[in-house]
Amino acid sequence: MSESGNSAAAYPSVEELFQAILEARQRVYEIARPTPLHRLNGSDRIFIKREDLSPIHAYKWRGAYNRMSLLSGKEKAEGVVCVSAGNHAQGVALAAKALKTSAEIFMPRSTPLMKQEAVTRLGGDSVNVRLEGDSYDDASQAAHKYSEKEKRTFIHPYDDLAVIAGQGTLADEVVMAGEGDFDIAYLQIGGGGMAAGVACWLKRYYPSIEIVGVEGKDQASMAAAVAQGGPVKLDYVDVFCDGTAVKQAGSLTSHYCRQFIDRFITVTNAEVCAAIELLWESQRLIPEPAGAMGLAGWLKEKESVQGKQALSIICGSNMDFGQLPYIVRHAGIGSAHRRYYRFRIPEKAGALLHLLETFLESVNIIEFQHGLSNLTEATPVIGIDAMPQQFSVLEKRLEQLGITFEEATATGDEDVEFRIIPYDASLIEYPCFIKIEFPERAGALHDFLLNNCQDASIVYFNYSYTGERVGRALIGFDFQSEELRTSFRDGVFNRETILRDVREITPNALARIV
């Protein structure tokens, strides 16, 4: 079923959209205040519009309330229907409670519990959440059927003039902030409602502004719609940036974006993660992935737009807490500060330690993956954090030392991405697997290995940087005899070492893995 509510012959004009935004300004502030515009930092001319500070921590309340405030008395009495995986549902819930109407809110069954609870909290008795299907499309189909059957007004998440106009009010706040003319704006695009409304207003007040539409690498439905002259359905949509994960752009929104968007760019998930990291470091702000997409676009073009006053919208911060580990892991890749290398070294005692001594002692190791898989060659994967220009120097030094390596950046090699560490337990004779805590500083782990592990072969190594002042690793050793293993245990457990804590894994755990 099409999400569009507008036929090609009935598109409102640009002037009608502008007038609708003017009128929306009289309504949206009945339930919320303007959000601030902040400079990102002192050195760059990039401003961020803080929609994360709105009542629902996203901009969607604007369009939902503006559209629902136009309901007739009869429509309010009958109630409304919407479909959403998060922010639009919260906007409809807030509006339903304020306008004293009811809302049936359809969400996919996969919607995080946090977002379901937020809808109920905002709407109270005015809302009823219905979980339908495993995807947005499934929930959308169910919502439309219910709307038609029950004769209740469907509140579209983006392809509606009043919704677009409501979102456009945030651009009026940008103009009224008095920061002067903006040269370029990076607007993230999902269905296109925010981009259409914001771009319309910005183009009126900053005629020379360049509007850049920013889409996810596997989410570029609007660019496809503009190129094809109308909405097209993508075969696959990545959902990491779930707020912009739309398979098919709106009919009305693509009509406007074709006129307002000067060009489109795409960003990867890793580049979005890098933008989130920047927002945390500069503002102590953690947006949802879609909320940082516009800033990711600016970061991608930062050097080429140097000197231009730029605008980015932080459109939301309703992120499931469980996404944080992925973001932390990929932020360095997106900012070009992190690379993963697979080394090829002889599988013999001391080889791994030799690699650390000859090359890696001076770099910041943020991940270590190694498992004994054959008796001739080892292929440890080591993640390194450095300034982008340092990697060519590091690689040249590796070549000079005759160390064989290949890049295995986590977004490319699935075994690295999912931290699959294969090893052959049948090759291990006298194992000792220990969990250690060590000071998280350069050289600490190297010093421990150098001073305590000369008689051991490292057969398993699992370490990942967590941002704490303490590093944690699981290391498996093998020995040529029981006497050497006993001597190692005595030294590690009974002597003073650099480690904060060391514990051997339980016999039951060891039996399962060796």
Side-chain angles (χ1 to χ4, degrees), residues 290-347:
M293 188 180 284
L295 184 62
W298 174 79
L299 275 174
K300 189 169 188 173
E301 300 190 341
K302 181 179 177 181
E303 298 304 318
S304 63
V305 299
Q306 195 73 34
K308 292 184 178 182
Q309 180 147 302
L311 172 68
S312 172
I313 314 297
I314 308 303
C315 66
S317 62
N318 293 309
M319 180 175 67
D320 190 276
F321 190 74
Q323 283 189 287
L324 282 175
Y326 179 97
I327 291 168
V328 171
R329 178 172 167 81
H330 291 79
I333 299 170
S335 62
H337 284 186
R338 180 173 298 184
R339 291 186 188 178
Y340 291 78
Y341 292 96
R342 180 177 287 105
F343 296 91
R344 298 188 181 278
I345 59 176
E347 181 55 76

Side-chain angles (χ1 to χ4, degrees), residues 460-505:
Y460 188 86
F461 206 127
N462 191 337
Y463 159 73
S464 182
Y465 175 68
T466 63
E468 302 171 87
R469 62 186 180 89
V470 171
R472 297 179 178 87
L474 174 62
I475 308 178
F477 299 95
D478 191 26
F479 301 87
Q480 295 180 347
S481 67
E482 180 61 40
E483 291 75 19
L484 289 174
R485 177 167 62 179
T486 300
S487 176
F488 172 79
R489 283 178 172 144
D490 289 342
V492 169
F493 291 106
N494 299 326
R495 289 202 310 262
E496 186 76 20
T497 70
I498 198 171
L499 300 181
R500 292 185 72 257
D501 186 50
V502 56
R503 304 182 189 190
E504 196 164 2
I505 67 173

Side-chain angles (χ1 to χ4, degrees), residues 196-246:
V198 170
C200 173
W201 198 264
L202 293 179
K203 286 281 189 180
R204 178 65 63 98
Y205 287 93
Y206 310 126
S208 61
I209 193 172
E210 181 182 19
I211 304 292
V212 181
V214 184
E215 297 182 284
K217 181 177 178 292
D218 291 314
Q219 295 185 340
S221 60
M222 184 59 76
V226 170
Q228 295 296 322
V232 292
K233 195 168 188 177
L234 302 181
D235 293 330
Y236 168 79
V237 172
D238 184 272
V239 296
F240 172 67
C241 298
D242 60 346
T244 50
V246 175

Side-chain angles (χ1 to χ4, degrees), residues 78-99:
E78 292 170 343
V80 302
V81 179
C82 81
V83 59
S84 169
N87 292 339
H88 178 59
Q90 293 180 55
V92 169
L94 183 70
K97 185 175 183 179
L99 294 168

Side-chain angles (χ1 to χ4, degrees), residues 345 351-362 397-398 401 403 446:
I345 59 176
L352 198 57
L353 186 56
H354 177 68
L355 176 64
L356 292 171
E357 288 179 311
T358 56
F359 168 64
L360 296 172
E361 62 179 356
S362 61
R397 186 179 175 196
L398 278 171
L401 292 169
I403 298 173
H446 167 266

Side-chain angles (χ1 to χ4, degrees), residues 403-415:
I403 298 173
T404 303
F405 70 95
E406 61 187 18
E407 189 176 344
T409 301
T411 50
D413 288 359
E414 289 84 355
D415 54 339

Side-chain angles (χ1 to χ4, degrees), residues 100-130:
K100 295 181 173 54
T101 185
S102 62
E104 292 290 322
I105 296 177
F106 287 73
M107 308 180 86
R109 285 195 292 262
S110 57
T111 303
L113 184 61
M114 177 198 77
K115 293 184 178 181
Q116 298 176 43
E117 291 174 343
V119 170
T120 303
R121 183 179 67 253
L122 289 162
D125 294 337
S126 297
V127 301
N128 180 46
V129 174
R130 292 172 174 256

